[in-house]
Amino acid sequence: MKNFRKILVSAITAAMLLCLAAPAFATQVAVVGDGDGSITVTNATEGKTYRLYKLFDATYSGDAVAYYYTKTAQDDPLYALLTAEGSPFVLTQIGDTDKYSVTSEATAAEISDWIKSNLEENDGELSDGSVLKSIKEITAAETEIKFDQLAYGYYFITSTLGTTITIDSNTPDETVIDKNQGPSWDVDEQGSGKVITSDSNKTYTPPTQENSVNVGDTVSFQIGVNTTNYNGDKEILEYYVNDELGKGFSYDKESIVVKIGDTVLTQAQGDPAVGTEYKIEWDDEANSFRITIPWYDADTETFASENANNTITVTYNATLEANDDTVYAGAGNKNKATYDFKDSSDTEPEEPGTPYHTVEEKETVTYTFALGFVKIDGKTKEPLTGAEFKLQNPDGAYIVATGENGDYTYSGTTDDEAAATVFVTDANGQLLVKGVAEGKYTVIETKAPDGYNQLASPMEITATISGSSTYTTTYTTYYDEDGNQVETQQENGTTLTRTYDVNVTELVIENNAGTLLPETGGVGTTLFYIIGSIIVVTAIVALVVERRMKKDNENG
């Protein structure tokens, strides 16, 4: 009999449809008619498969109903399961026949639990049909399905959702409510209930959980919750959507849209109405909001959604600011969301704000970057102040920024080179540009420090999203006495250390001193001119002597 224990692979729960007036049973359950009965399942989940199983036959006379089981073989596996230790049923053989009367003192819940723990679904049938085979199967195309042309008997229903279908009424035409659903995140292709759908630079198809932007850019977020009308067998009364942005962001409060399916809800001024309104509470200090969506109207006994399964969608925009809380590179600017719900069994928590139900938190990350530069002497490796640069973004536009003295923050772009910001290195030869999106940037030197040659061609620096941060605030570089970069500090070498206020990706730019022209008190290039002059005079003298010798020979 152990071979028939725990036959169910997924946790499928069955609802027992039993005889209303069967005196041998401790619970009142339903019986369907003699070939004309039906079982209607409401609140069904579209696309899910429902299967009907019959455990026992039934006979009746007036209000009296008797259940019996017919043994199909000596080694009948279902009979073995029904009579095994722990079974809620008592089977008593009727004379010398293969028929057994069936009684039970168990409750419907106990019977349901027993079925859950002892029967499993395998490729659409219980134990491949070797223990018990479904007699009807329906894949729901709508939120209501119906099994008809049923004889009197003892039935149960499973669904591919895998939890309990409970009983609503007890008549020959039985109605049961599929209460096996529970709320869940609306999981998109990226595996999250909170996603980024677009920003000022790009629309994401499919949505993403991470992006990079310039400070000042707008990011569009979407939160999705798959709703059900029941949590198990309890009506869901309210849904809650909670959102918290990193403090580098600011909400566009006017951009929030809340929908149930395709129905757009309006923000309530007082208590929100079921199915048409929502309430929102802002916490500016925490940079968060909480949306309440009423779900069940007890007066009319109706839900906000007629569909057993629907989706709450919340969309809004936010701007990444350049403030003290903005995270540059590193872990990025994290944005979190959760949902919660209250069902008819929940009581108010002792601590305000404590969720009724704990669900997995969902998160998105928005990156912005800081570019660091240091200008040094190509030979001595000493920092150089006063170098001037312009920057182009990955699209070739010139960057405009606010700031001075080597510390700048992105504020936009321009196609006019003359309008571009001129970035100047500070007294430490450093330059910081904060708040740029991922990509490759072009660095154009427009003026070298006094006494140094200007770069002949632009350089490039790349900001890239990294799974583990490779960005830092302090850089140290070692050079040997010949100016070659080495791994460790050298006795006669140079150590160059740079510190920035934020995480940066850095570019070291070297300048070489220009050629020294002649000046009073200095050799300069004078020696070269003297040597050159001597060579020229010597050549002229040699030429004159040669011509005279040739002339003397001709006259001689």
Side-chain angles (χ1 to χ4, degrees):
M1 289 184 290
K2 292 183 178 179
N3 292 334
F4 308 110
R5 295 280 194 184
K6 303 202 179 266
I7 307 170
L8 220 68
V9 176
S10 56
I12 296 179
T13 323
M16 308 315 302
L17 306 180
L18 294 155
C19 176
L20 174 63
F25 284 79
T27 57
Q28 291 186 339
V29 288
V31 62
V32 296
D34 188 13
D36 296 322
S38 67
I39 301 174
T40 299
V41 180
T42 63
N43 202 48
T45 301
E46 295 181 26
K48 298 301 180 181
T49 299
Y50 293 79
R51 296 183 180 91
L52 180 68
Y53 297 85
K54 184 179 181 182
L55 272 180
F56 310 125
D57 295 315
T59 60
Y60 70 97
S61 176
D63 292 335
V65 180
Y67 292 93
Y68 64 90
Y69 178 77
T70 301
K71 190 175 180 180
T72 59
Q74 186 63 33
D75 59 349
D76 181 347
L78 182 54
Y79 173 82
L81 185 62
L82 292 170
T83 57
E85 182 180 355
S87 170
F89 304 109
V90 177
L91 274 64
T92 304
Q93 188 174 12
I94 302 172
D96 293 331
T97 69
D98 292 328
K99 286 189 176 182
Y100 294 78
S101 64
V102 182
T103 59
S104 177
E105 295 296 328
T107 65
E110 289 170 341
I111 293 173
S112 181
D113 289 342
W114 179 82
I115 291 176
K116 179 196 295 187
S117 63
N118 287 280
L119 297 175
E120 274 188 24
E121 190 154 14
N122 182 12
D123 294 331
E125 297 296 349
L126 296 183
S127 187
D128 238 356
S130 62
V131 174
L132 183 64
K133 188 176 181 65
S134 63
I135 61 172
K136 289 181 180 288
E137 179 180 305
I138 298 175
T139 299
E142 299 178 349
T143 57
E144 182 174 291
I145 63 172
K146 185 176 184 179
F147 296 99
D148 54 15
Q149 297 181 342
L150 299 177
Y152 276 94
Y154 185 102
Y155 296 82
F156 67 90
I157 302 169
T158 69
S159 82
T160 50
L161 288 170
T163 46
T164 305
I165 300 171
T166 55
I167 296 169
D168 181 64
S169 63
N170 299 288
T171 63
D173 293 307
E174 183 64 36
T175 298
V176 297
I177 300 174
D178 183 354
K179 299 175 182 177
N180 51 6
Q181 308 102 326
S184 62
W185 283 112
D186 181 24
V187 180
D188 55 63
E189 294 182 32
Q190 300 300 310
S192 177
K194 180 172 184 179
V195 293
I196 297 165
T197 57
S198 66
D199 55 45
S200 297
N201 309 305
K202 184 177 181 181
T203 297
Y204 297 95
T205 306
T208 184
Q209 289 174 260
E210 67 176 31
N211 69 329
S212 75
V213 298
N214 305 298
V215 292
D217 283 353
T218 297
V219 181
S220 297
F221 295 93
Q222 177 176 296
I223 303 169
V225 179
N226 289 328
T227 63
T228 58
N229 293 334
Y230 291 88
N231 177 39
D233 60 350
K234 305 297 189 296
E235 297 93 346
I236 291 180
L237 308 180
E238 290 182 325
Y239 277 98
Y240 312 96
V241 177
N242 308 296
D243 189 80
E244 181 180 340
L245 287 180
K247 293 186 178 180
F249 272 101
S250 63
Y251 284 103
D252 177 359
K253 295 183 178 181
E254 301 302 317
S255 69
I256 289 188
V257 176
V258 181
K259 296 195 298 183
I260 300 175
D262 294 327
T263 301
V264 178
L265 307 185
T266 58
Q267 184 177 342
Q269 299 304 311
D271 292 333
V274 174
T276 59
E277 293 182 320
Y278 70 93
K279 179 177 71 174
I280 187 167
E281 300 168 272
W282 293 97
D283 185 336
D284 293 335
E285 182 176 350
N287 207 29
S288 65
F289 66 71
R290 178 179 176 85
I291 290 175
T292 300
I293 303 171
W295 204 254
Y296 182 68
D297 188 329
D299 294 333
T300 61
E301 297 184 346
T302 57
F303 292 96
S305 172
E306 294 182 359
N307 293 334
N309 304 94
N310 216 327
T311 303
I312 291 173
T313 305
V314 178
T315 59
Y316 66 88
N317 299 329
T319 300
L320 184 63
E321 309 288 355
N323 59 36
D324 292 340
D325 295 307
T326 303
V327 178
Y328 297 96
N333 298 274
K334 296 185 177 182
N335 311 301
K336 304 174 182 179
T338 62
Y339 74 87
D340 190 13
F341 59 92
K342 179 181 180 181
D343 65 41
S344 56
S345 68
D346 290 323
T347 57
E348 293 301 319
E350 294 182 5
E351 291 291 331
T354 302
Y356 295 100
H357 303 270
T358 301
V359 300
E360 179 187 3
E361 184 178 76
K362 296 298 183 179
E363 180 180 271
T364 64
V365 183
T366 295
Y367 295 91
T368 193
F369 297 90
L371 305 178
F373 306 88
V374 61
K375 186 74 168 177
I376 62 174
D377 184 293
K379 182 177 181 181
T380 67
K381 310 304 178 184
E382 294 297 324
L384 299 175
T385 185
E388 297 181 3
F389 301 90
K390 290 185 179 181
L391 297 179
Q392 288 178 296
N393 72 4
D395 296 325
Y398 290 94
I399 290 179
V400 178
T402 58
E404 59 183 358
N405 298 325
D407 191 351
Y408 301 85
T409 301
Y410 175 96
S411 62
T413 61
T414 178
D415 292 328
D416 181 5
E417 183 178 359
T421 296
V422 176
F423 300 95
V424 184
T425 57
D426 65 11
N428 297 314
Q430 293 179 210
L431 172 62
L432 177 64
V433 183
K434 297 178 289 187
V436 298
E438 179 183 25
K440 184 180 291 185
Y441 292 80
T442 302
V443 184
I444 305 169
E445 186 173 43
T446 57
K447 180 179 178 297
D450 292 342
Y452 288 83
N453 293 325
Q454 185 174 320
L455 294 179
S457 58
M459 299 183 71
E460 292 181 339
I461 183 171
T462 302
T464 305
I465 295 176
S466 174
S468 59
S469 175
T470 57
Y471 308 96
T472 184
T473 58
T474 300
Y475 289 84
T476 301
T477 309
Y478 303 107
Y479 299 93
D480 62 20
E481 58 184 330
D482 296 323
N484 301 310
Q485 186 173 337
V486 291
E487 294 295 326
T488 59
Q489 188 173 9
Q490 303 293 302
E491 182 176 354
N492 296 320
T494 302
T495 300
L496 177 65
T497 301
R498 298 83 71 198
T499 300
Y500 300 91
D501 293 336
V502 296
N503 292 321
V504 299
T505 181
E506 190 196 45
L507 178 66
V508 177
I509 304 173
E510 297 186 4
N511 270 115
N512 294 311
T515 301
L516 183 62
L517 299 177
E519 59 182 0
T520 302
V523 175
T525 58
T526 303
L527 180 61
F528 296 102
Y529 284 113
I530 293 173
I531 294 173
S533 298
I534 292 173
I535 293 173
V536 171
V537 170
T538 301
I540 293 172
V541 170
L543 180 61
V544 170
V545 170
E546 181 182 2
R547 287 182 175 178
R548 284 183 177 180
M549 291 177 64
K550 183 177 180 180
K551 185 176 181 180
D552 290 342
N553 291 333
E554 289 176 352
N555 293 331

PDB file of all heavy atoms in Angstrom, residues 375 389 443-448 452-459 509-512:
ATOM      1  N   LYS A 375      45.439  65.213 -14.667  1.00  0.00           N
ATOM      2  CA  LYS A 375      46.398  65.697 -15.658  1.00  0.00           C
ATOM      3  C   LYS A 375      47.778  65.712 -15.015  1.00  0.00           C
ATOM      4  O   LYS A 375      47.972  66.306 -13.949  1.00  0.00           O
ATOM      5  CB  LYS A 375      46.006  67.113 -16.091  1.00  0.00           C
ATOM      6  CG  LYS A 375      46.846  67.676 -17.221  1.00  0.00           C
ATOM      7  CD  LYS A 375      46.490  67.037 -18.538  1.00  0.00           C
ATOM      8  CE  LYS A 375      47.117  67.815 -19.689  1.00  0.00           C
ATOM      9  NZ  LYS A 375      46.841  67.172 -20.990  1.00  0.00           N
ATOM     10  N   PHE A 389      39.372  71.221 -21.029  1.00  0.00           N
ATOM     11  CA  PHE A 389      38.820  70.151 -21.866  1.00  0.00           C
ATOM     12  C   PHE A 389      37.360  70.429 -22.213  1.00  0.00           C
ATOM     13  O   PHE A 389      36.669  71.178 -21.527  1.00  0.00           O
ATOM     14  CB  PHE A 389      38.879  68.802 -21.132  1.00  0.00           C
ATOM     15  CG  PHE A 389      40.254  68.373 -20.740  1.00  0.00           C
ATOM     16  CD1 PHE A 389      40.787  68.731 -19.506  1.00  0.00           C
ATOM     17  CD2 PHE A 389      41.033  67.606 -21.603  1.00  0.00           C
ATOM     18  CE1 PHE A 389      42.050  68.331 -19.140  1.00  0.00           C
ATOM     19  CE2 PHE A 389      42.300  67.192 -21.236  1.00  0.00           C
ATOM     20  CZ  PHE A 389      42.814  67.552 -19.999  1.00  0.00           C
ATOM     21  N   VAL A 443      37.205  62.870 -24.909  1.00  0.00           N
ATOM     22  CA  VAL A 443      37.844  63.938 -24.132  1.00  0.00           C
ATOM     23  C   VAL A 443      38.721  64.755 -25.082  1.00  0.00           C
ATOM     24  O   VAL A 443      39.670  64.223 -25.669  1.00  0.00           O
ATOM     25  CB  VAL A 443      38.694  63.346 -22.992  1.00  0.00           C
ATOM     26  CG1 VAL A 443      39.267  64.463 -22.129  1.00  0.00           C
ATOM     27  CG2 VAL A 443      37.862  62.377 -22.158  1.00  0.00           C
ATOM     28  N   ILE A 444      38.391  66.020 -25.227  1.00  0.00           N
ATOM     29  CA  ILE A 444      39.129  66.899 -26.154  1.00  0.00           C
ATOM     30  C   ILE A 444      39.834  67.978 -25.346  1.00  0.00           C
ATOM     31  O   ILE A 444      39.183  68.787 -24.676  1.00  0.00           O
ATOM     32  CB  ILE A 444      38.164  67.557 -27.166  1.00  0.00           C
ATOM     33  CG1 ILE A 444      37.364  66.474 -27.900  1.00  0.00           C
ATOM     34  CG2 ILE A 444      38.929  68.435 -28.146  1.00  0.00           C
ATOM     35  CD1 ILE A 444      36.212  67.033 -28.715  1.00  0.00           C
ATOM     36  N   GLU A 445      41.169  67.987 -25.391  1.00  0.00           N
ATOM     37  CA  GLU A 445      41.902  69.044 -24.708  1.00  0.00           C
ATOM     38  C   GLU A 445      41.890  70.297 -25.569  1.00  0.00           C
ATOM     39  O   GLU A 445      42.291  70.276 -26.746  1.00  0.00           O
ATOM     40  CB  GLU A 445      43.338  68.611 -24.423  1.00  0.00           C
ATOM     41  CG  GLU A 445      44.092  69.635 -23.577  1.00  0.00           C
ATOM     42  CD  GLU A 445      45.458  69.145 -23.156  1.00  0.00           C
ATOM     43  OE1 GLU A 445      46.174  68.560 -24.000  1.00  0.00           O
ATOM     44  OE2 GLU A 445      45.818  69.327 -21.971  1.00  0.00           O
ATOM     45  N   THR A 446      41.404  71.389 -25.000  1.00  0.00           N
ATOM     46  CA  THR A 446      41.329  72.655 -25.743  1.00  0.00           C
ATOM     47  C   THR A 446      42.448  73.617 -25.348  1.00  0.00           C
ATOM     48  O   THR A 446      42.743  74.557 -26.071  1.00  0.00           O
ATOM     49  CB  THR A 446      39.970  73.329 -25.500  1.00  0.00           C
ATOM     50  OG1 THR A 446      39.781  73.538 -24.092  1.00  0.00           O
ATOM     51  CG2 THR A 446      38.840  72.469 -26.037  1.00  0.00           C
ATOM     52  N   LYS A 447      43.071  73.366 -24.186  1.00  0.00           N
ATOM     53  CA  LYS A 447      44.185  74.211 -23.759  1.00  0.00           C
ATOM     54  C   LYS A 447      45.054  73.414 -22.795  1.00  0.00           C
ATOM     55  O   LYS A 447      44.557  72.876 -21.815  1.00  0.00           O
ATOM     56  CB  LYS A 447      43.681  75.490 -23.072  1.00  0.00           C
ATOM     57  CG  LYS A 447      44.788  76.430 -22.602  1.00  0.00           C
ATOM     58  CD  LYS A 447      44.193  77.666 -21.952  1.00  0.00           C
ATOM     59  CE  LYS A 447      45.279  78.606 -21.436  1.00  0.00           C
ATOM     60  NZ  LYS A 447      46.100  77.997 -20.369  1.00  0.00           N
ATOM     61  N   ALA A 448      46.350  73.326 -23.108  1.00  0.00           N
ATOM     62  CA  ALA A 448      47.291  72.624 -22.236  1.00  0.00           C
ATOM     63  C   ALA A 448      47.795  73.581 -21.163  1.00  0.00           C
ATOM     64  O   ALA A 448      47.738  74.809 -21.320  1.00  0.00           O
ATOM     65  CB  ALA A 448      48.459  72.084 -23.049  1.00  0.00           C
ATOM     66  N   TYR A 452      53.351  73.391 -21.746  1.00  0.00           N
ATOM     67  CA  TYR A 452      53.165  72.000 -22.182  1.00  0.00           C
ATOM     68  C   TYR A 452      52.458  71.950 -23.531  1.00  0.00           C
ATOM     69  O   TYR A 452      51.692  72.852 -23.891  1.00  0.00           O
ATOM     70  CB  TYR A 452      52.343  71.222 -21.149  1.00  0.00           C
ATOM     71  CG  TYR A 452      53.115  70.934 -19.885  1.00  0.00           C
ATOM     72  CD1 TYR A 452      53.221  71.893 -18.880  1.00  0.00           C
ATOM     73  CD2 TYR A 452      53.760  69.714 -19.713  1.00  0.00           C
ATOM     74  CE1 TYR A 452      53.941  71.635 -17.720  1.00  0.00           C
ATOM     75  CE2 TYR A 452      54.484  69.451 -18.551  1.00  0.00           C
ATOM     76  CZ  TYR A 452      54.570  70.411 -17.568  1.00  0.00           C
ATOM     77  OH  TYR A 452      55.292  70.154 -16.436  1.00  0.00           O
ATOM     78  N   ASN A 453      52.755  70.883 -24.254  1.00  0.00           N
ATOM     79  CA  ASN A 453      52.126  70.703 -25.554  1.00  0.00           C
ATOM     80  C   ASN A 453      50.686  70.211 -25.394  1.00  0.00           C
ATOM     81  O   ASN A 453      50.399  69.343 -24.576  1.00  0.00           O
ATOM     82  CB  ASN A 453      52.906  69.670 -26.389  1.00  0.00           C
ATOM     83  CG  ASN A 453      54.277  70.182 -26.778  1.00  0.00           C
ATOM     84  OD1 ASN A 453      54.453  71.373 -27.034  1.00  0.00           O
ATOM     85  ND2 ASN A 453      55.252  69.280 -26.803  1.00  0.00           N
ATOM     86  N   GLN A 454      49.789  70.750 -26.199  1.00  0.00           N
ATOM     87  CA  GLN A 454      48.395  70.306 -26.198  1.00  0.00           C
ATOM     88  C   GLN A 454      48.301  68.928 -26.857  1.00  0.00           C
ATOM     89  O   GLN A 454      49.073  68.603 -27.778  1.00  0.00           O
ATOM     90  CB  GLN A 454      47.540  71.312 -26.972  1.00  0.00           C
ATOM     91  CG  GLN A 454      46.058  71.030 -26.955  1.00  0.00           C
ATOM     92  CD  GLN A 454      45.280  72.155 -27.615  1.00  0.00           C
ATOM     93  OE1 GLN A 454      45.592  73.341 -27.437  1.00  0.00           O
ATOM     94  NE2 GLN A 454      44.269  71.779 -28.392  1.00  0.00           N
ATOM     95  N   LEU A 455      47.380  68.092 -26.374  1.00  0.00           N
ATOM     96  CA  LEU A 455      47.210  66.758 -26.955  1.00  0.00           C
ATOM     97  C   LEU A 455      46.898  66.874 -28.438  1.00  0.00           C
ATOM     98  O   LEU A 455      46.046  67.681 -28.848  1.00  0.00           O
ATOM     99  CB  LEU A 455      46.084  66.004 -26.252  1.00  0.00           C
ATOM    100  CG  LEU A 455      46.301  65.635 -24.776  1.00  0.00           C
ATOM    101  CD1 LEU A 455      45.060  64.911 -24.241  1.00  0.00           C
ATOM    102  CD2 LEU A 455      47.534  64.767 -24.604  1.00  0.00           C
ATOM    103  N   ALA A 456      47.544  66.030 -29.227  1.00  0.00           N
ATOM    104  CA  ALA A 456      47.351  66.100 -30.677  1.00  0.00           C
ATOM    105  C   ALA A 456      46.015  65.501 -31.111  1.00  0.00           C
ATOM    106  O   ALA A 456      45.475  65.857 -32.163  1.00  0.00           O
ATOM    107  CB  ALA A 456      48.502  65.379 -31.380  1.00  0.00           C
ATOM    108  N   SER A 457      45.455  64.570 -30.312  1.00  0.00           N
ATOM    109  CA  SER A 457      44.195  63.922 -30.680  1.00  0.00           C
ATOM    110  C   SER A 457      43.371  63.655 -29.425  1.00  0.00           C
ATOM    111  O   SER A 457      43.911  63.588 -28.316  1.00  0.00           O
ATOM    112  CB  SER A 457      44.457  62.606 -31.427  1.00  0.00           C
ATOM    113  OG  SER A 457      45.222  61.730 -30.626  1.00  0.00           O
ATOM    114  N   PRO A 458      42.035  63.490 -29.557  1.00  0.00           N
ATOM    115  CA  PRO A 458      41.178  63.243 -28.396  1.00  0.00           C
ATOM    116  C   PRO A 458      41.496  61.897 -27.735  1.00  0.00           C
ATOM    117  O   PRO A 458      42.098  61.010 -28.332  1.00  0.00           O
ATOM    118  CB  PRO A 458      39.766  63.233 -28.991  1.00  0.00           C
ATOM    119  CG  PRO A 458      39.887  63.956 -30.297  1.00  0.00           C
ATOM    120  CD  PRO A 458      41.263  63.633 -30.795  1.00  0.00           C
ATOM    121  N   MET A 459      41.044  61.755 -26.498  1.00  0.00           N
ATOM    122  CA  MET A 459      41.137  60.502 -25.769  1.00  0.00           C
ATOM    123  C   MET A 459      39.718  60.020 -25.441  1.00  0.00           C
ATOM    124  O   MET A 459      38.747  60.762 -25.638  1.00  0.00           O
ATOM    125  CB  MET A 459      41.965  60.680 -24.485  1.00  0.00           C
ATOM    126  CG  MET A 459      43.394  61.131 -24.731  1.00  0.00           C
ATOM    127  SD  MET A 459      44.374  61.256 -23.211  1.00  0.00           S
ATOM    128  CE  MET A 459      44.571  59.516 -22.776  1.00  0.00           C
ATOM    129  N   ILE A 509      45.707  61.540 -17.861  1.00  0.00           N
ATOM    130  CA  ILE A 509      46.114  62.231 -19.092  1.00  0.00           C
ATOM    131  C   ILE A 509      47.499  62.843 -18.873  1.00  0.00           C
ATOM    132  O   ILE A 509      47.692  63.648 -17.954  1.00  0.00           O
ATOM    133  CB  ILE A 509      45.106  63.341 -19.460  1.00  0.00           C
ATOM    134  CG1 ILE A 509      43.695  62.742 -19.571  1.00  0.00           C
ATOM    135  CG2 ILE A 509      45.507  64.025 -20.761  1.00  0.00           C
ATOM    136  CD1 ILE A 509      42.613  63.793 -19.753  1.00  0.00           C
ATOM    137  N   GLU A 510      48.458  62.461 -19.713  1.00  0.00           N
ATOM    138  CA  GLU A 510      49.820  62.977 -19.589  1.00  0.00           C
ATOM    139  C   GLU A 510      50.085  64.058 -20.625  1.00  0.00           C
ATOM    140  O   GLU A 510      49.641  63.966 -21.772  1.00  0.00           O
ATOM    141  CB  GLU A 510      50.832  61.845 -19.754  1.00  0.00           C
ATOM    142  CG  GLU A 510      50.738  60.777 -18.680  1.00  0.00           C
ATOM    143  CD  GLU A 510      51.853  59.760 -18.791  1.00  0.00           C
ATOM    144  OE1 GLU A 510      52.738  59.944 -19.670  1.00  0.00           O
ATOM    145  OE2 GLU A 510      51.874  58.796 -17.994  1.00  0.00           O
ATOM    146  N   ASN A 511      50.807  65.101 -20.183  1.00  0.00           N
ATOM    147  CA  ASN A 511      51.268  66.159 -21.083  1.00  0.00           C
ATOM    148  C   ASN A 511      52.788  66.243 -21.006  1.00  0.00           C
ATOM    149  O   ASN A 511      53.370  66.100 -19.923  1.00  0.00           O
ATOM    150  CB  ASN A 511      50.684  67.518 -20.709  1.00  0.00           C
ATOM    151  CG  ASN A 511      49.364  67.793 -21.409  1.00  0.00           C
ATOM    152  OD1 ASN A 511      48.334  67.891 -20.774  1.00  0.00           O
ATOM    153  ND2 ASN A 511      49.398  67.920 -22.727  1.00  0.00           N
ATOM    154  N   ASN A 512      53.422  66.492 -22.145  1.00  0.00           N
ATOM    155  CA  ASN A 512      54.877  66.674 -22.174  1.00  0.00           C
ATOM    156  C   ASN A 512      55.199  68.145 -22.375  1.00  0.00           C
ATOM    157  O   ASN A 512      54.472  68.877 -23.052  1.00  0.00           O
ATOM    158  CB  ASN A 512      55.498  65.853 -23.301  1.00  0.00           C
ATOM    159  CG  ASN A 512      55.340  64.366 -23.037  1.00  0.00           C
ATOM    160  OD1 ASN A 512      55.642  63.883 -21.945  1.00  0.00           O
ATOM    161  ND2 ASN A 512      54.837  63.639 -24.031  1.00  0.00           N
TER     162      ASN A 512
END
